Amino acid sequence: MYRLAIDGLEAGYGAVKALHGVSLEVRQGETVALLGTNGNGKSTLMKCIMGLLKPSGGSIVLEKDGERVELTGKRTHEIVALGVAMVPEGRRLFPKLSVRENLLLGAYRRGARGGIEHNLALCHDAFPVLQERSAQLAGSMSGGQQQMLAIARAIMSAPRLLLVDEPSVGLSPVLVKQMVDTIAALKERFGLTVLMAEQNFHQASRIADRGYIIVHGEIAFEGRNLLELQNSELVKRYYLGL
């Protein structure tokens, strides 16, 4: 059993509040989309889950093999050790390190070190260009290649829960489709649970089982399945132009 449950989460930056009582859950094996336009709190929520930003209220609980672990107050490396990894918005690679070095850094956590070669082979199989360019500096790669590397680096930590923050940012429509397809394929291959923050509804809805819409730091709608999400008035207004 592996489940993420967020309840009444409050967070912000100084006097500016970014999240207002956010509650959501991600169950084992699901791909859940967190939809919202820029500035509505998607990345703030991801940072809270990863311990990069301390919430001012609420709880983030990871249910892991019968154990309930409160993530608020834990440090990022402790959360990663529980099997949580994030592909951050903007990729956040080490530009002056090689592709291979970036991938190996992804496997830093103790639980992933024993499977480095196995996971490296799987990443190369999913992204052959990363093997071809293993000695190339990450900062000299194209945007699409850097996004591949960011996803592969997260996979190298052998996660069970993968957080993906805005995978479409800065990519062409063709590359966005490719990245979303890759996330779906990796989920199946590794048995992942996925929470994807995205503003591109059309692409996110292709692989999501269900989703939430966040507006001004609040969950404005929960679609219990994809059809409910597609028929939401908010989706029609913000994403379909109806």
Side-chain angles (χ1 to χ4, degrees), residues 13-226:
Y13 306 91
V16 179
K17 297 300 180 185
L19 298 178
H20 307 278
V22 169
S23 298
L24 60 80
E25 69 169 339
V26 186
R27 298 183 290 266
Q28 182 171 325
E30 287 187 314
T31 296
V32 174
L34 179 65
L35 298 164
T37 53
N38 283 337
N40 278 289
K42 301 188 305 300
S43 293
T44 299
L45 179 59
M46 294 294 201
K47 290 175 182 176
C48 288
I49 296 171
M50 289 304 303
L52 298 168
L53 179 66
K54 185 177 180 179
S56 56
S59 68
I60 305 171
V61 173
L62 185 68
E63 296 181 7
K64 178 177 179 287
D65 303 326
E67 181 185 7
R68 289 173 56 87
V69 182
E70 175 60 61
L71 300 187
T72 55
K74 286 196 176 294
R75 299 162 78 178
T76 300
H77 72 273
E78 295 174 317
I79 295 169
V80 173
L82 293 168
V84 185
M86 182 168 74
V87 182
E89 180 182 4
R91 299 177 278 275
R92 304 297 185 188
L93 300 172
F94 295 93
K96 296 191 180 300
L97 297 183
S98 70
V99 168
R100 179 178 173 81
E101 288 168 334
N102 270 272
L103 289 174
L104 293 179
L105 283 172
Y108 179 78
R109 82 174 182 97
R110 184 175 300 174
R113 293 174 197 170
I116 284 179
E117 293 305 321
H118 174 71
N119 289 336
L120 196 59
L122 289 174
C123 287
H124 287 161
D125 183 53
F127 303 110
V129 69
L130 299 183
Q131 184 172 22
E132 296 165 8
R133 298 174 181 251
S134 62
Q136 183 174 336
L137 296 184
S140 67
M141 302 177 81
S142 70
Q145 291 166 350
Q146 288 187 18
Q147 187 66 44
M148 294 177 196
L149 179 55
I151 294 172
R153 181 181 61 182
I155 294 298
M156 287 295 294
S157 73
R160 294 176 66 178
L161 172 63
L162 182 65
L163 310 178
V164 188
D165 193 6
E166 298 277 18
S168 69
V169 168
L171 301 182
S172 69
V174 172
L175 283 176
V176 171
K177 181 179 183 301
Q178 181 184 347
M179 288 304 126
V180 170
D181 288 342
T182 299
I183 291 166
L186 290 172
K187 175 205 166 186
E188 295 302 320
R189 176 177 290 188
F190 290 92
L192 299 172
T193 299
V194 178
L195 175 61
M196 179 170 64
E198 182 53 78
Q199 55 182 306
N200 188 326
F201 171 77
H202 295 284
Q203 291 298 335
S205 65
R206 290 176 48 240
I207 67 168
D209 298 301
R210 58 187 184 86
Y212 299 84
I213 300 174
I214 187 169
V215 178
H216 303 314
E218 300 180 358
I219 298 298
F221 182 79
E222 175 187 355
R224 292 169 294 182
N225 53 56
L226 191 56

